[in-house]
Amino acid sequence: MKLYRFLTGPDDATFCHKVTAAVNKGWHLFGSPTYSFDADSKTMRCGQAVVKDVEGVEYDPGIKLSDF
């Protein structure tokens, strides 16, 4: 099964740590990162898609993607 996640966060070290943790758990970067202004909070937000192949597991909409 192929899993997909879109990680988001503020433009600070916590976002970089979130992506780093995912990569170290076997996720792979997918596409280019995004960078956008959040008018409500008046801050910049980052986003990065990641994917991962998991063998021997069937997809179920109830799975918690961060467990992989």
Side-chain angles (χ1 to χ4, degrees), residues 42-55:
K42 296 182 176 37
T43 60
M44 296 302 291
R45 305 277 301 169
C46 300
Q48 175 64 59
V50 291
V51 294
K52 183 176 187 178
D53 289 314
V54 178
E55 298 296 325

Side-chain angles (χ1 to χ4, degrees), residues 2-7 19-32 48-54 68:
K2 184 175 284 283
L3 301 175
Y4 170 90
R5 292 176 66 196
F6 187 70
L7 306 174
V19 174
T20 299
V23 169
N24 278 285
K25 289 175 86 175
W27 293 83
H28 300 277
L29 302 179
F30 185 78
S32 299
Q48 175 64 59
V50 291
V51 294
K52 183 176 187 178
D53 289 314
V54 178
F68 293 92

Side-chain angles (χ1 to χ4, degrees), residues 9-12 34-39 41-46:
D11 180 22
D12 63 15
T34 61
Y35 195 57
S36 178
F37 182 70
D38 181 346
S41 65
K42 296 182 176 37
T43 60
M44 296 302 291
R45 305 277 301 169
C46 300

